[in-house]
Amino acid sequence: MPRNLDLTALRAFVAVADAGGVTRAAGLLNLTQSAVSMQLKRLEDSLGQGLFLRAARKLTLTAEGEQLMGFARRMLAINDEALSRLTSSTFEGEIRLGVPHDIVYPAIPGILKRLAAQYPRLRINLASSFTLLLKDAFAKGEMDVILTTEERPGTGGEELSRQDLVWIGAPEGTAWCRQPLRLGFKDTCIFRPTAQAALDAVGLPWEMAIDGESEQAVEAIVAADLAISARLRGRFPDGTTEIVERCGLPDLGGLSVCLYVAPTVKGEAAEALLSELRLAYGS
């Protein structure tokens, strides 16, 4: 049956070694000398090893004591970190995170899972919407951290990367060859005016295939080959793909993925979130 080392005895062991004696270690631990001596004896008995050489009123570590010291320090550090993370108010709170729906995958689920494991008392409330709505909510103080997709970062925004905007349609579809082109975008999609302006610039007629704010409806009509849309390269809805042979479709250029952080967002947990976002969406 596995045995467990006593963390209290290990703490006394490390304190005695660092202080060079029981008397001073007892003061540091706020214990009596006899209590510290008893913990050391209990630890030595449990291991069947002597941990100190007692000579000339000074304690020095035996070879076994030197070996145990490395383990003891690591075990105490892990213990102290676990207690700190689970009990300190430094690692708790709430962060309201907003991410455009088209860049939630694949990064955000993994980021949230890792942070939940690392900071279990931190609550991250995720809102998925469009850049225009997220920026409006951020300006009103309703969001703490937002990602956006826009031409250039606005005031206070940090550009994480520049990514290509491309046309998408159904695999092996033909909607992109028909005229007038039927477009699938939500009313507030920030990609919509870019796509419409590009078509107008080359004289390609178009019409909207859908109205309203249902992203599921947009994805369905594009996947059914009844319309085309635009997304950042590599971040396509299921059932859609990039239109490579564009048959006259104009280039859409690129957009910036930007990060906005409220001044109130502080602390180790918040910095961990920001680091994850910069790593996932950076160049």
Side-chain angles (χ1 to χ4, degrees), residues 179-236:
Q179 291 194 12
L181 284 169
R182 305 195 77 213
L183 303 181
F185 292 96
K186 285 177 62 174
D187 292 346
T188 53
C189 179
I190 200 167
F191 303 155
R192 175 173 169 168
T194 300
Q196 292 170 339
L199 293 172
D200 290 341
V202 297
L204 281 178
W206 57 268
E207 64 184 20
M208 293 305 301
I210 190 169
D211 291 315
E213 292 299 319
S214 171
E215 182 60 27
Q216 289 77 13
V218 170
E219 293 176 0
I221 202 169
V222 173
D225 196 28
L226 299 178
I228 64 173
S229 190
R231 292 291 187 276
L232 294 180
R233 176 167 281 135
R235 303 182 185 275
F236 310 142

Side-chain angles (χ1 to χ4, degrees), residues 7 11 72-88 91:
L7 287 176
R11 198 176 297 278
R73 291 193 190 280
R74 295 206 302 272
M75 292 171 67
L76 292 172
I78 292 171
N79 173 80
D80 295 347
E81 181 181 3
L83 283 174
S84 178
R85 290 282 173 89
L86 293 171
T87 61
S88 173
F91 304 104

Side-chain angles (χ1 to χ4, degrees), residues 119-248:
Y119 302 101
R121 301 178 70 194
L122 174 69
R123 297 184 304 278
I124 300 180
N125 295 328
L126 176 65
S128 180
S129 186
F130 284 92
T131 287
L132 295 176
L133 300 179
L134 291 174
K135 291 187 74 172
D136 183 59
F138 183 79
K140 294 176 180 177
E142 296 171 357
M143 289 282 144
D144 300 309
V145 177
I146 62 169
L147 292 174
T148 65
T149 50
E150 50 190 322
E151 182 59 34
R152 286 288 182 267
T155 303
E158 173 189 347
E159 184 180 68
L160 300 183
S161 62
R162 187 81 178 167
Q163 301 190 16
D164 292 333
L165 185 64
V166 298
W167 295 102
I168 65 166
E172 301 181 3
T174 58
W176 52 277
C177 293
R178 305 176 202 140
Q179 291 194 12
L181 284 169
R182 305 195 77 213
L183 303 181
F185 292 96
K186 285 177 62 174
D187 292 346
T188 53
C189 179
I190 200 167
F191 303 155
R192 175 173 169 168
T194 300
Q196 292 170 339
L199 293 172
D200 290 341
V202 297
L204 281 178
W206 57 268
E207 64 184 20
M208 293 305 301
I210 190 169
D211 291 315
E213 292 299 319
S214 171
E215 182 60 27
Q216 289 77 13
V218 170
E219 293 176 0
I221 202 169
V222 173
D225 196 28
L226 299 178
I228 64 173
S229 190
R231 292 291 187 276
L232 294 180
R233 176 167 281 135
R235 303 182 185 275
F236 310 142
D238 290 341
T240 68
T241 188
E242 180 178 351
I243 300 172
V244 179
E245 297 180 4
R246 300 202 305 258
C247 193

Side-chain angles (χ1 to χ4, degrees), residues 255-275:
L255 288 174
S256 296
V257 177
C258 304
L259 174 67
Y260 294 79
V261 183
T264 53
V265 176
K266 297 177 181 179
E268 181 182 321
E271 286 301 322
L273 170 62
L274 299 180
S275 294

